[in-house]
């Protein structure tokens, strides 16, 4: 388990129990399989762990910051401080969203293996896991995205204060153009395409032939990885930390070799 969620590993029996078997044979639609595949347990008081299986799970969690609750599959859990989601294998859809803005509940989401779609709109972190993932992070104070393995598509929006965004291995597409604050963005290994915000960003291409686009703001680009990267600075005073030879370089005011 990832160290950020280690506090949730000790569990007690879930308050949500499976219904008793019916006396007659019943056929249930596949849409209801998520009721049986996803379990919820509370470890330390207020720390909840939501765990999927190795099939394709649909985990939709509605959070109320005001009430300190979250609702999953029609069951509401109270006195919530932190929500850990481990989807495990399968191509999962995971939505963890607040209905009433930001508050003091945090979340950590691990997509696991599979091509996952993950969204979070408050404070917390997302680990995509292996394979090609689609990730949305919005309004997350000290938020984190780690795409990990695969060619991931990552979108960062709103007020993500002091956020760290890492693509991980693979040819990632990272779009932070709708962030209302500057970010630290890491492409990591692979041929990545990175769009910064309209504010002051630090953009690291990592290994591979990367495309880095700064937008407005005074941006710092780091492309000194021995590859022919392409950099578009945009408005503002931009500084490029580069190799002696790069690919396309436009709109950069200062180059440091």
């Amino acid at each position: 388990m990832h160290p950020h969620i280690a506090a949730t590993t000790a569990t007690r029996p879930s308050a949500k129990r499976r219904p008793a078997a019916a006396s007659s044979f019943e056929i249930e639609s596949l849409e209801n399989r998520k009721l049986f595949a996803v379990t919820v347990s509370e470890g330390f008081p207020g720390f909840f762990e939501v765990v999927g299986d190795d099939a394709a799970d649909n985990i939709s969690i509605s959070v109320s910051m005001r009430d300190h609750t979250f609702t999953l599959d029609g069951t509401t859990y109270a006195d919530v401080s932190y929500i850990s989601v481990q989807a495990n294998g399968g191509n999962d859809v995971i939505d963890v969203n607040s209905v009433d803005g930001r508050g003091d509940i945090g979340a950590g989401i691990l997509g696991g293996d599979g091509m996952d779609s993950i969204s979070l709109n408050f404070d917390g972190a997302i680990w995509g896991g292996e394979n090609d993932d689609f990730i949305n992070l919005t309004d997350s104070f000290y938020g984190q995205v780690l795409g990990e393995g695969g060619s991931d598509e990552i979108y960062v929006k709103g007020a993500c204060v002091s956020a760290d965004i890492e693509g991980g291995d693979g040819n990632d597409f990272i779009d932070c153009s709708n962030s209302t604050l500057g970010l630290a963005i890491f492409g990591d290994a692979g041929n990545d395409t990175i769009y910064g915000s309209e504010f002051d960003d630090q953009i690291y291409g990592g290994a591979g032939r990367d495309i880095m686009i700064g937008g407005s703001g005074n941006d710092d680009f780091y492309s000194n990885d021995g590859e022919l990267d392409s950099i578009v600075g945009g408005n503002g005073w931009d500084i490029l930390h580069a190799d002696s030879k790069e690919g396309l370089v436009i709109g950069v005011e200062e180059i440091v070799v």
Side-chain angles (χ1 to χ4, degrees), residues 3-96:
H4 281 73
I5 60 168
T8 65
T9 55
T11 59
R12 66 189 186 201
S14 172
K16 182 181 176 184
R17 296 182 179 177
R18 186 175 296 182
S23 57
S24 59
F25 180 76
E26 295 180 359
I27 297 176
E28 298 184 2
S29 65
L30 287 176
E31 286 74 14
N32 292 329
R33 70 172 298 280
K34 63 180 181 178
L35 299 175
F36 300 94
V38 178
T39 62
V40 180
S41 59
E42 184 180 9
F44 297 106
F47 286 73
F48 289 84
E49 191 171 66
V50 180
V51 180
D53 63 7
D54 286 333
D57 299 312
N58 185 349
I59 301 174
S60 180
I61 297 175
S62 177
V63 176
S64 172
M65 296 290 179
R66 180 188 60 204
D67 298 332
H68 285 87
T69 63
F70 75 86
T71 301
L72 172 64
D73 290 336
T75 298
T76 298
Y77 302 85
D79 300 321
V80 179
S81 297
Y82 189 87
I83 305 165
S84 166
V85 179
Q86 301 176 64
N88 291 315
N91 299 333
D92 307 304
V93 177
I94 309 161
D95 294 307
V96 183

Side-chain angles (χ1 to χ4, degrees), residues 60 122 171 249:
S60 180
F122 58 91
N171 302 327
V249 177

Side-chain angles (χ1 to χ4, degrees), residues 210-234:
D210 305 307
I211 300 171
M212 294 177 275
I213 302 168
S216 298
N218 302 323
D219 304 311
D220 286 289
F221 297 91
Y222 296 85
S223 65
N224 43 353
D225 60 350
E227 299 280 359
L228 295 176
D229 301 307
S230 297
I231 298 94
V232 178

